[in-house]
Amino acid sequence: MSSLAFLVTELQSLASETRRKHPDVREAAEKSLAILRASPEQATASLASDGPQSEDLLRPVFMGCATKNAKVVAISLGSLQRLIALKAVPHSAVPVIINTMSDCMNQGVDIQLRILQTLLSLITNFPAVHGDLLGDALLLCFKLQESRIAVVSSTAAATLRQLVMFVVDKVVDEDRREDTDPNKLSERRLPDGTSISLGPSADDALSVFEDLCLLANSEKPKFLKLDSLRKTFALELIESVLTNYHDLFRKHPEELLLLQHHLCPLLLKALSDRPNFPLTLRATRVVFLLLKQFSLELKTEAEVFLMLLIKIVGSDSDAGTPAQSTDSIHLQANRPQWMRVLAMEIMRGLCNDAELIRNVWDRYDAEEGGSKVFNSLVAALKRLLTEKPALLGVGSQMFGVGVPAQSASSEGYGLDVGGVAGMVANAASATVSSVAGMITTEVGLSVQGSAMKLQCIDQLDKADAPPIPEPYIYLLGVQCLISLCEGFASCTGPLYNTIMVQRPRAAGEPVVRAPPALDMSALSPEDPTTKQLRTVHNMVECGWPALLAALSFIIATNLSEELFLEVLSSYQAMTNVSGMLGLSTPRDAFFTSLAKFAIPTRVVSSLETYTEPATPRTPSTFTENLGLTSPTVAPGLSERNMACLKVLIASALFLAGSLGASWFHILEALQNADYVLTTKGARAPTAKRSNTGPLPNTPSNRTVSLPAPQSAQLNAPTGQRPTTPQPSQSGGGRNPMLADLDSDALQAAIQRLFDASKNMDDKAFHDFVSSLCKLSAAMVGMQSDSSDGLSMQSVDTMDDLSNAMLSPITENAHRRRVSGIHLPRTLRSGDFGISKIGGVATLNIHRLIYRDPEVAWDPISTHLLSVLKHPAAPASIRIQAARVLDDVLTVVPRNISTTGDLQPKVQRRVLDVLSQQIILGSGTVGSSTNTELRKMGLETLHQILQASGHTLVVGWETIFEMLGSVCKPANSVLGETIILSPISPGGAGRGKPPPLGYINDKNYSSLVKIAFQSLTLVCDSLSQLSPEHLRLCISTLGQFGRQADTNIALTAAESLLWGVSDSIQAKRKDVEKEPEYSALWMFLLLEILGLCNDGRPEVRVGAIQTLFRTLQLYGATLSLETWDECIWKITFPLLDSINAVLRQSPAEAASEGAPAVDLQWDESKVLALQSIGSIFHDFLTSKIMRLDSFKKAWEVFVGHIQDSWLFDNRTISAPAVRCLEKAIKASAKAGPDLSAVVTDALEVVWSACNEMGEAVLKRGTKTTPPESPMKPFTQESLMAFVDVIRSTRTVGRQFEDSEWTLERLTRLMSIFKGILTYPDSPDFRPDIDALNPAVVMEAIDGIDLSGDGVPSLILRDLSEYATLAFVAAFDVPSEPSANPSTNRQTRPSGRRVTYIGISKKTMPLLVDLFLKFKDKAAIFVDGTVEAICSAYSIPIKLKYDCPAPSKFGQDQPLWKTATTSFLRIVKECGVQIPSLGSAIPDERVAAIWRQIIDTFRGSILADCTVVDSFPLDVQEAEENFDLALIASLEIDVVPHLGDSRVPDDVVSQLAKVLSQGSRLRDADDLADLSFVSPKSKTSGRLSPDFEKVDFGSEESTLGTTEAGKFLPRERFSYWCFDLLFLICSDVAQDQVASRKRVAALCITSLLNRCRTTLVSYVADESLRGNLPFPRMREEEVVYILRKLLELKIWSGILWAALSEYPSAHCVDQPSIDPTLPPAQLIQDAIKRSTKAHLYHFYPTFCEIVAIPRKTPSAWIMTNVPRSSSRDISASAKPEELRNSVSWTDVKSGVVDEGRAVELDARAIVKECLKEIGREMGVGL
């Protein structure tokens, strides 16, 4: 509802209420309603403009108020209020309204309250109300304010405040408009007598405020028409105005004059008179406002007020001393406590305003001769806080945990400013803190327990002072201190940050993270910021003693946690502010005090005497409960100690850039803290511990037990562990200062402080490091085993450090000044300072590198070196220092920039420092600690080289010096009896080899191993080394190569020196530097050579390998002069030195006390020879042959080889000649210009080979020195010897293009034969399946056979080789071992040298060579062919008695190989002999054919009885193989055997061989081929039953009934028989003359063979009767008869055979002599017949025909076709007897199958007889 509506409602109510008693009012109200209803907007506008209707509208209101009717008046005032709200009241009506309300003021309470509401609305809605009208309105309020009705009075007072505020507020609007009508200005006279023109509002405000001041001072007002006003209310109004419009007052001088002339005297009087709580309270509040807002304008007055307040604060303890002498101030001696509290509350408010406090200093303390207000304030606060120490109690936590009571009582607060209060507090600590929880109430300060719920100065409603807690004033004092300190910090911190941290930086300037203190002189004096900082600087400089005294006292009292933290924050603030402002003295004082509270002295010292209880402690006596016995809780830090420590660390961290020399004390405190934090709880529980013995080493990672909360700690007796559990650090929103107060967190905070060192500038860092080193030196001196202290060694810098660190430590110095820590023996496990130095150095590596050495490098390295060199320091400390130093030295080179001049300087510094660690003095070398230090230094060097070796540009000589320092001299390493190697770079003459027993010192070995790792890394960076450094490197490697550790020596000799060689050779490519590096390379080779004679085989071998690998790799780049040096200074001396050792006889070695030569020296020489061979192979033609001394060098070289082959152990012989072989092969690459040189060299080789071959031929019997008997040659050495000869021949032919002479080849073959047949080799190898030695055959294969006599030579020797398997095989005899070290008494037996392999190789080879030279008559003439055939004849004759051809394989039997090869030879001989004709002498032809026939004889008549044991298929295969013999005879021999140059006996021998081969029965069972005379003696096989059979001649044959022994291979016998028949027949038509001769010479053997069988048959048949003959007998008879029937001989052949000269008449016979008698004539004619042989058997035929019994028969196959009609007769027909075919032919399909018939002997004989008859013409 709108105000207009409310107005209408009010008027309606007014009309209704006055309807009866006041009709006129009703009418006026109704009229007003009518106006409003007619036009509400116009009506209100008319009212506001004082229009014609305004009177009508206001009339009912005024009339209603005049009725005195309370209800009507109330309605009327309500209507008036609505009108005022609508601003519908004209200004002209305001006086009427005020008068109306004044008339109604005496009405009831409701009316009075409505008047106040209306009045307030009226004044606020009509700002133009000024002057007296305003005064009347205010007077109305003042009158109502004096009402005794509380509600009216309070409402009026509130209204007054609003109106007064409105009056003053109008001045603000008036000032803002600045357009005041001059006509409205009024002249006003001021209290100082001056005048001023003021606007209406300003004048009103001045009048009202002046009256209020007058009324408050009980004076008559000038503007308000009041007689009096309560002073308290007046002061309240004044306070309200000043509180809200202090800025306005400062703009209006007239108002300030009022304050100066009226208000200030009033207030001084109020404070100086008898204290009245309400008045003093309000006066104090106004004074606070004046001081707060007008201290600048009222400088003198403010000074008076401040000094008055300070005096009030200190009145209790210093009552009679006025702070400021004034005539107007009369202080009473004793003021009530509440007044001091009010003053302190005011002071707290003032102290909270840091700017005000600074202004106070500037206005008073800073003025010369001015009042020292600030100093007085601080002193008053300090006196206040210390006046009743018993009331504040003692904070038991501040003395730590587990400290005995007397420990606390014996300690003061550490500062003299505490005075008596401090001593009282100390005394109280032993009583109050011990038993307070048990026998008295709790004392101390806390915000909850000591403060008032409503501060005293705000209790305006109290007529009397409220009860005030006694500690409240001290709480206020603490808060004042806190505010002052925080004010300093709040001002200084941001400005410091702006100036030092956030200041503009030049390009490239780093961010400041640890800024230094402010330099006040460098700041602009006119800058406001500078002025503020200078003010704070001066305030702190002047007031810090009192502030520190107060803070140090109060923090040790029994404060609540909240207050403790605030006081601790004040500590931190003061410390930081002092540091920021560069006030070192107060800063250090605060740090010292903080350190004292953070690490109580007695906690540190009590740790030494603390012993763990043997049993759990139980409550026993009152004395124990009072804590008068030793504590059972381990001494440690309480929570508050830790909080102080945390603040100490934080402040030090904040001021890290400006602490300077003060770091020493801070670091000392941190060391003590670390000691306490890491020691508590670390000892193992023991029942008893001696107090005099040394303490055990203290581990570095220990934990500390946290104390219980404050309440529990305060209630627990000292020395007992509180039972209340510690709350979680992260819960409950605890203050950050109390968070993370555990050992680990604090140690992490300490570490962060050291980590912050990287943010310091160079000067600050230098101070920090110097202090740290100084502290470390002091502590190390305390821990030294002797009283000598540290002594500086070779220190030229850091004189101050050397004086502080390294001076002798006295006994008094063992007790530290700050902490009282006593550590002569307890920190042997490590030094705090040293460990922190390591971390700081690591974080500031860039500073160590890029800053001047004096900044960081010198102090750190000097200190660490002095510690590790200090012999009296504990070993653990020295090792710790070394470890830290090594860590620094390791990291620095990694971070050096590779550009600029800084790199070599830093590297030099690093290596120089490291060398001092590694190369310790000789007097202390034997110390195990020194050894460990050197070991650590070497490990560091290794790490440096590993990470940064490639960047080193200087210091290599230092590195090699360090590495070489660990090596013992060779004579020290190897023992006194060892003489240096004769081939060392400086050696001369031959010395003894080192023994195997090397000294193995553990410390020495460990140093060598570590140093060698570094040397290995150095060798990886050889490209950086200069020639001088390379020479040092080579010498150092040589030293390591002679050390006792074999692995190291081997690596140095084999690997690293090789790498150095590579590096040198790489640098030799520069032409200018080539001579220098060539000389260096020779030095390297000589150094390696010195290791080649090492007593250890591994090292020796490695050195040799390295030596020759180097030569081999870089030989191509060496000059001839260098090569000459290598040959004469390296190669031959190496062989000489090894030979000298090898040739040392056991007797000589024993006489000289040296051990027998190790067989591993053989391996060394083998390696040397092999390496030399490789060198000659690679560089002989390109380098060595071109030397002027080559001829002599070659002779020496070959002489060495020959000597080794003859006299060294056989393990050396083969490699020796292999070395020569390599050299020979290499000579093949020589160019034409070296042809003569190569030829001469080969002649030298052949001469040596000839001598060596002679030794082989003599089988080791060559005369040699008795001390060096020649040992049997091994097969390996012999084969190598053969390869040398082969290479010599091959290369010689290359240059001479001709084969050796026959004489030399003959000698060569002789040597080869001697090698093949050498019987004494200890290493015969299997030679059955493998060709061994194959190289001999390969050598022979390589001989050029084109020379005269060479093929014969080779063929003859090969023929001899082919027979070795059959004539020269032997078993290797068992004999004692020549080497007792093998632990074998005899060689294994059962080995045999068979030569089978070479036979298998040679027999086919002979054929190939023969075929190659078959057209050469020489091989026929000189007997070579006979030798070949003779060689084949041996296995052929042995046949099944030959040795097995293979042990594991399935090779062809040797006799078959021989047979096959022989038949090939025979085939060619038959052709070549006739073709060569007269080129072959007749005797050679006869010898050849005789040997051939003899070989056939051996093959055909060989013993084959073993065949019967073969399987049938094998037997058949064997017979089939032998068929080749028959075929060869038939094809290759018989046609050519009839040559006239072949003797008759040779041809006859063939017939005899075939005749013997055709036998089917054993020769003992046959009758002699020559017929036996009856008179001859019978053989032993005859019996009386034998019957003589007469065949019609003088000869007779004896028969027998025995079956006889049949020979194997029946088929082969028939094949021989067939060939014999074939030879004698006229089947072949080629070479008829030759065949006739053969037939003439062979037919007698055929006839004898047939006659023997037939006659034997007839003789036996007559005796056997019906006893059947064996199958073979019958078949043989039938076979002979058939063959005789079929045989057709050459005409006249039988005549010639029976003549005296068969060969002469075989072709042409003389004519038949017709004069002969008929019988002779017939006989002569018959002999010339082609069937003459049948006549020869005529008597036998007759005997067979006359046999009465059945004669032998056999089935045969004929080629007669089968009859178409069935022919059941199986008897053979006459024509079928001559047309039989072989069953085999039928089976194979050669002929068609005919008819099988049975042949009967009688039938065949009949046909034979008929054939004779037909030949004689009988029956024609």
Side-chain angles (χ1 to χ4, degrees), residues 297-323:
E297 292 79 9
L298 304 175
K299 180 178 179 182
T300 303
E301 290 78 3
E303 179 182 6
V304 173
F305 284 129
L306 288 171
M307 295 304 296
L308 177 61
L309 291 174
I310 292 171
K311 188 64 178 178
I312 293 172
V313 169
S315 62
D316 189 62
S317 59
D318 195 12
T321 305

mmCIF file of all heavy atoms in Angstrom, residues 297-323:
data_model
loop_
_atom_site.group_PDB
_atom_site.id
_atom_site.type_symbol
_atom_site.label_atom_id
_atom_site.label_comp_id
_atom_site.label_asym_id
_atom_site.label_seq_id
_atom_site.Cartn_x
_atom_site.Cartn_y
_atom_site.Cartn_z
ATOM 1 N N GLU A 297 47.308 15.568 12.895
ATOM 2 C CA GLU A 297 46.814 16.922 13.086
ATOM 3 C C GLU A 297 46.982 17.367 14.543
ATOM 4 O O GLU A 297 47.210 18.555 14.820
ATOM 5 C CB GLU A 297 45.348 17.015 12.682
ATOM 6 C CG GLU A 297 45.105 16.834 11.179
ATOM 7 C CD GLU A 297 45.134 15.349 10.759
ATOM 8 O OE1 GLU A 297 45.175 14.489 11.697
ATOM 9 O OE2 GLU A 297 45.148 15.055 9.559
ATOM 10 N N LEU A 298 46.863 16.423 15.430
ATOM 11 C CA LEU A 298 46.973 16.736 16.855
ATOM 12 C C LEU A 298 48.251 16.112 17.391
ATOM 13 O O LEU A 298 48.230 15.239 18.260
ATOM 14 C CB LEU A 298 45.747 16.205 17.609
ATOM 15 C CG LEU A 298 44.385 16.688 17.086
ATOM 16 C CD1 LEU A 298 43.267 15.995 17.833
ATOM 17 C CD2 LEU A 298 44.253 18.203 17.225
ATOM 18 N N LYS A 299 49.374 16.520 16.850
ATOM 19 C CA LYS A 299 50.642 15.883 17.164
ATOM 20 C C LYS A 299 50.967 15.977 18.650
ATOM 21 O O LYS A 299 51.289 14.967 19.292
ATOM 22 C CB LYS A 299 51.736 16.525 16.319
ATOM 23 C CG LYS A 299 53.123 15.931 16.573
ATOM 24 C CD LYS A 299 54.137 16.588 15.677
ATOM 25 C CE LYS A 299 55.532 16.015 15.938
ATOM 26 N NZ LYS A 299 56.553 16.688 15.084
ATOM 27 N N THR A 300 50.866 17.161 19.180
ATOM 28 C CA THR A 300 51.215 17.352 20.593
ATOM 29 C C THR A 300 50.221 16.654 21.490
ATOM 30 O O THR A 300 50.598 15.962 22.459
ATOM 31 C CB THR A 300 51.258 18.842 20.925
ATOM 32 O OG1 THR A 300 52.189 19.498 20.064
ATOM 33 C CG2 THR A 300 51.663 19.043 22.379
ATOM 34 N N GLU A 301 48.952 16.823 21.156
ATOM 35 C CA GLU A 301 47.919 16.204 21.962
ATOM 36 C C GLU A 301 48.077 14.678 21.923
ATOM 37 O O GLU A 301 47.923 13.980 22.952
ATOM 38 C CB GLU A 301 46.536 16.627 21.467
ATOM 39 C CG GLU A 301 46.179 18.067 21.733
ATOM 40 C CD GLU A 301 46.828 19.039 20.763
ATOM 41 O OE1 GLU A 301 47.534 18.552 19.823
ATOM 42 O OE2 GLU A 301 46.698 20.263 20.927
ATOM 43 N N ALA A 302 48.378 14.145 20.710
ATOM 44 C CA ALA A 302 48.543 12.698 20.586
ATOM 45 C C ALA A 302 49.722 12.222 21.423
ATOM 46 O O ALA A 302 49.686 11.157 22.060
ATOM 47 C CB ALA A 302 48.747 12.317 19.129
ATOM 48 N N GLU A 303 50.785 13.008 21.453
ATOM 49 C CA GLU A 303 51.949 12.640 22.253
ATOM 50 C C GLU A 303 51.578 12.563 23.732
ATOM 51 O O GLU A 303 51.953 11.625 24.436
ATOM 52 C CB GLU A 303 53.062 13.665 22.037
ATOM 53 C CG GLU A 303 54.304 13.373 22.854
ATOM 54 C CD GLU A 303 55.366 14.449 22.649
ATOM 55 O OE1 GLU A 303 55.075 15.454 21.965
ATOM 56 O OE2 GLU A 303 56.490 14.262 23.160
ATOM 57 N N VAL A 304 50.781 13.555 24.153
ATOM 58 C CA VAL A 304 50.375 13.562 25.548
ATOM 59 C C VAL A 304 49.520 12.354 25.860
ATOM 60 O O VAL A 304 49.706 11.672 26.881
ATOM 61 C CB VAL A 304 49.626 14.887 25.879
ATOM 62 C CG1 VAL A 304 49.052 14.844 27.286
ATOM 63 C CG2 VAL A 304 50.548 16.080 25.719
ATOM 64 N N PHE A 305 48.568 12.100 24.982
ATOM 65 C CA PHE A 305 47.687 10.954 25.212
ATOM 66 C C PHE A 305 48.496 9.652 25.262
ATOM 67 O O PHE A 305 48.250 8.779 26.103
ATOM 68 C CB PHE A 305 46.616 10.881 24.120
ATOM 69 C CG PHE A 305 45.534 11.882 24.277
ATOM 70 C CD1 PHE A 305 45.152 12.725 23.224
ATOM 71 C CD2 PHE A 305 44.864 12.020 25.485
ATOM 72 C CE1 PHE A 305 44.139 13.647 23.370
ATOM 73 C CE2 PHE A 305 43.832 12.962 25.638
ATOM 74 C CZ PHE A 305 43.482 13.769 24.571
ATOM 75 N N LEU A 306 49.435 9.485 24.312
ATOM 76 C CA LEU A 306 50.213 8.249 24.251
ATOM 77 C C LEU A 306 51.041 8.062 25.517
ATOM 78 O O LEU A 306 51.078 6.965 26.103
ATOM 79 C CB LEU A 306 51.116 8.253 23.017
ATOM 80 C CG LEU A 306 50.414 8.063 21.665
ATOM 81 C CD1 LEU A 306 51.389 8.314 20.531
ATOM 82 C CD2 LEU A 306 49.843 6.659 21.569
ATOM 83 N N MET A 307 51.690 9.099 25.924
ATOM 84 C CA MET A 307 52.504 8.969 27.112
ATOM 85 C C MET A 307 51.635 8.715 28.333
ATOM 86 O O MET A 307 52.028 8.001 29.265
ATOM 87 C CB MET A 307 53.346 10.226 27.316
ATOM 88 C CG MET A 307 54.378 10.462 26.223
ATOM 89 S SD MET A 307 55.506 9.053 26.009
ATOM 90 C CE MET A 307 56.315 9.039 27.580
ATOM 91 N N LEU A 308 50.426 9.332 28.338
ATOM 92 C CA LEU A 308 49.510 9.095 29.437
ATOM 93 C C LEU A 308 49.091 7.633 29.488
ATOM 94 O O LEU A 308 49.078 6.995 30.554
ATOM 95 C CB LEU A 308 48.295 10.021 29.293
ATOM 96 C CG LEU A 308 47.177 9.840 30.349
ATOM 97 C CD1 LEU A 308 47.733 10.111 31.751
ATOM 98 C CD2 LEU A 308 46.007 10.766 30.034
ATOM 99 N N LEU A 309 48.732 7.123 28.343
ATOM 100 C CA LEU A 309 48.330 5.707 28.285
ATOM 101 C C LEU A 309 49.480 4.788 28.703
ATOM 102 O O LEU A 309 49.279 3.791 29.411
ATOM 103 C CB LEU A 309 47.867 5.353 26.873
ATOM 104 C CG LEU A 309 46.543 5.991 26.428
ATOM 105 C CD1 LEU A 309 46.282 5.683 24.966
ATOM 106 C CD2 LEU A 309 45.390 5.497 27.298
ATOM 107 N N ILE A 310 50.686 5.092 28.212
ATOM 108 C CA ILE A 310 51.848 4.265 28.577
ATOM 109 C C ILE A 310 52.058 4.326 30.080
ATOM 110 O O ILE A 310 52.363 3.298 30.727
ATOM 111 C CB ILE A 310 53.081 4.740 27.812
ATOM 112 C CG1 ILE A 310 52.930 4.454 26.313
ATOM 113 C CG2 ILE A 310 54.340 4.062 28.344
ATOM 114 C CD1 ILE A 310 54.002 5.077 25.454
ATOM 115 N N LYS A 311 51.873 5.503 30.628
ATOM 116 C CA LYS A 311 52.051 5.633 32.065
ATOM 117 C C LYS A 311 50.995 4.863 32.826
ATOM 118 O O LYS A 311 51.254 4.226 33.855
ATOM 119 C CB LYS A 311 52.005 7.114 32.445
ATOM 120 C CG LYS A 311 52.369 7.372 33.890
ATOM 121 C CD LYS A 311 53.821 6.972 34.134
ATOM 122 C CE LYS A 311 54.201 7.270 35.576
ATOM 123 N NZ LYS A 311 55.591 6.855 35.859
ATOM 124 N N ILE A 312 49.774 4.901 32.286
ATOM 125 C CA ILE A 312 48.700 4.139 32.918
ATOM 126 C C ILE A 312 49.021 2.658 32.882
ATOM 127 O O ILE A 312 48.831 1.930 33.868
ATOM 128 C CB ILE A 312 47.356 4.443 32.226
ATOM 129 C CG1 ILE A 312 46.933 5.883 32.474
ATOM 130 C CG2 ILE A 312 46.273 3.473 32.700
ATOM 131 C CD1 ILE A 312 45.727 6.310 31.681
ATOM 132 N N VAL A 313 49.547 2.197 31.732
ATOM 133 C CA VAL A 313 49.880 0.775 31.603
ATOM 134 C C VAL A 313 50.940 0.388 32.608
ATOM 135 O O VAL A 313 50.876 -0.665 33.253
ATOM 136 C CB VAL A 313 50.340 0.459 30.160
ATOM 137 C CG1 VAL A 313 50.938 -0.939 30.079
ATOM 138 C CG2 VAL A 313 49.177 0.606 29.213
ATOM 139 N N GLY A 314 51.915 1.224 32.780
ATOM 140 C CA GLY A 314 53.005 0.885 33.665
ATOM 141 C C GLY A 314 52.839 1.399 35.071
ATOM 142 O O GLY A 314 53.798 1.351 35.846
ATOM 143 N N SER A 315 51.668 1.915 35.417
ATOM 144 C CA SER A 315 51.475 2.527 36.726
ATOM 145 C C SER A 315 51.576 1.522 37.852
ATOM 146 O O SER A 315 51.962 1.847 38.971
ATOM 147 C CB SER A 315 50.116 3.250 36.774
ATOM 148 O OG SER A 315 49.053 2.318 36.573
ATOM 149 N N ASP A 316 51.256 0.275 37.599
ATOM 150 C CA ASP A 316 51.254 -0.713 38.664
ATOM 151 C C ASP A 316 52.660 -1.020 39.153
ATOM 152 O O ASP A 316 52.886 -1.261 40.336
ATOM 153 C CB ASP A 316 50.576 -1.995 38.186
ATOM 154 C CG ASP A 316 50.363 -2.951 39.333
ATOM 155 O OD1 ASP A 316 49.638 -2.598 40.260
ATOM 156 O OD2 ASP A 316 50.964 -4.067 39.281
ATOM 157 N N SER A 317 53.589 -1.009 38.221
ATOM 158 C CA SER A 317 54.960 -1.353 38.590
ATOM 159 C C SER A 317 55.865 -0.135 38.668
ATOM 160 O O SER A 317 56.944 -0.192 39.231
ATOM 161 C CB SER A 317 55.553 -2.355 37.579
ATOM 162 O OG SER A 317 55.532 -1.790 36.293
ATOM 163 N N ASP A 318 55.414 0.932 38.068
ATOM 164 C CA ASP A 318 56.276 2.118 38.037
ATOM 165 C C ASP A 318 55.401 3.342 38.291
ATOM 166 O O ASP A 318 55.284 4.226 37.464
ATOM 167 C CB ASP A 318 56.987 2.197 36.683
ATOM 168 C CG ASP A 318 58.146 3.179 36.715
ATOM 169 O OD1 ASP A 318 58.516 3.595 37.821
ATOM 170 O OD2 ASP A 318 58.662 3.487 35.627
ATOM 171 N N ALA A 319 54.761 3.365 39.450
ATOM 172 C CA ALA A 319 53.669 4.306 39.679
ATOM 173 C C ALA A 319 54.115 5.750 39.762
ATOM 174 O O ALA A 319 53.427 6.649 39.334
ATOM 175 C CB ALA A 319 52.917 3.922 40.962
ATOM 176 N N GLY A 320 55.222 6.018 40.299
ATOM 177 C CA GLY A 320 55.578 7.398 40.574
ATOM 178 C C GLY A 320 56.366 8.105 39.536
ATOM 179 O O GLY A 320 56.778 9.222 39.741
ATOM 180 N N THR A 321 56.606 7.480 38.390
ATOM 181 C CA THR A 321 57.442 8.094 37.364
ATOM 182 C C THR A 321 56.558 8.627 36.264
ATOM 183 O O THR A 321 55.934 7.856 35.539
ATOM 184 C CB THR A 321 58.434 7.077 36.804
ATOM 185 O OG1 THR A 321 59.170 6.541 37.885
ATOM 186 C CG2 THR A 321 59.349 7.716 35.797
ATOM 187 N N PRO A 322 56.449 9.944 36.125
ATOM 188 C CA PRO A 322 55.619 10.473 35.037
ATOM 189 C C PRO A 322 56.291 10.252 33.700
ATOM 190 O O PRO A 322 57.484 10.353 33.570
ATOM 191 C CB PRO A 322 55.500 11.966 35.361
ATOM 192 C CG PRO A 322 56.716 12.282 36.157
ATOM 193 C CD PRO A 322 57.071 11.034 36.908
ATOM 194 N N ALA A 323 55.485 9.929 32.725
ATOM 195 C CA ALA A 323 56.026 9.727 31.399
ATOM 196 C C ALA A 323 56.258 11.044 30.705
ATOM 197 O O ALA A 323 57.143 11.155 29.875
ATOM 198 C CB ALA A 323 55.103 8.842 30.584
#
